[in-house]
Structures are given as structure tokens and as C-alpha cells.
Amino acid sequence: MIIHYDNRLKALASRLRNESTHSEIRMWKYLKGKQLGVRFTRQKPIGNYIADFYCKELRLAIELNGLSHHFEETIRKDEQKEAYLNKLGITVLSFEDNEVMADIDQVLAVIMDYIESHRPR
């Protein structure tokens, strides 16, 4: 299935890749190069949104949420984004920045559990 996106998001996605947060940099160390057995991309435009990390094979988006994601308006936007992605058949796994920084092993365990239970055999 082809996932369409707003072409105007390409420049923003590129900028976000170049201005990654500490937690995104840390997470990417484990996701890049098929280290978990599947390929992920960073800052993937999907529709009118950008997923922090996306695996096309599993239709899986991984979102990392910092302090700004605790404000009411941002929470509402995150819910709309997740609902849109779910409508496209994309599962979203969300983690707090502090989870990635303090307990990356647990975060990776959750991701690996998902990969192992959803990877085509």
C-alpha cells in the first residue's frame, strides 16, 4: 500500500532529522540498519503528519514524547495523529523521552515483542 503525504512536509522532516532530540538520537542507534530485524526510517511523512520512526514492513510507527506532549493542545493533536495513523492500519507505539533515556532496554523489549508477534513468517 502506498502511503501518501503532503510534499510540503519533506523539508520539515529533513530539518527534524538534522535537529533530533537526545532521545531520538539514542533510539536511532538501536533502530538503524535493521538491528532489530526490520528496517525503520526516521521522520517519515504520512498524510499531514510526521512519524518519528516508521517501519513499512510492519506498518509500525514509534513516537517519542517530550515535555511539550503534556500540554492539552498537544495531547489532542497527538490523539488525532494516532487516530489517523490507525485508520491507515498503522500501529503506534509511544514512549516518553525519559523512558528512552533512563531505561532503553525496557523500551526495546516492548518494540521487540511487537516485532516478533507481528513479523510475517
Side-chain angles (χ1 to χ4, degrees), residues 30-120:
Y30 296 94
L31 297 180
K32 68 181 176 182
K34 293 181 79 171
Q35 292 181 74
L36 301 183
V38 291
R39 182 176 183 271
F40 282 90
T41 55
R42 297 189 302 154
Q43 304 300 338
K44 171 68 175 161
I46 301 173
N48 292 320
Y49 299 100
I50 297 175
D52 290 335
F53 303 97
Y54 180 68
C55 174
K56 179 180 176 182
E57 177 184 349
L58 298 176
R59 301 184 69 74
L60 172 64
I62 297 175
E63 292 292 311
L64 304 184
N65 301 319
L67 292 176
S68 67
H69 292 264
H70 296 280
F71 295 109
E72 188 174 326
E73 182 178 336
T74 308
I75 291 170
R76 183 179 53 76
K77 288 179 180 179
D78 286 345
E79 289 171 347
Q80 290 172 340
K81 177 180 181 177
E82 185 167 347
Y84 175 80
L85 295 175
N86 290 164
K87 186 176 176 182
L88 293 177
I90 298 170
T91 299
V92 178
L93 297 180
S94 296
F95 301 97
E96 298 291 324
D97 283 348
N98 62 359
E99 289 179 278
V100 173
M101 299 308 289
D103 196 1
I104 189 71
D105 291 335
Q106 178 58 34
V107 170
L108 293 172
V110 171
I111 296 168
M112 280 307 301
D113 283 347
Y114 184 90
I115 291 170
E116 289 172 3
S117 65
H118 291 84
R119 184 182 308 167

Side-chain angles (χ1 to χ4, degrees), residues 23-34:
S23 62
E24 289 170 343
I25 291 167
R26 182 170 179 139
M27 179 65 80
W28 185 238
K29 286 180 185 178
Y30 296 94
L31 297 180
K32 68 181 176 182
K34 293 181 79 171

Side-chain angles (χ1 to χ4, degrees), residues 9-23:
L9 292 177
K10 287 172 69 172
L12 175 58
S14 177
R15 192 173 85 231
L16 290 172
R17 282 190 294 275
N18 290 326
E19 299 173 2
S20 298
T21 65
H22 292 294
S23 62

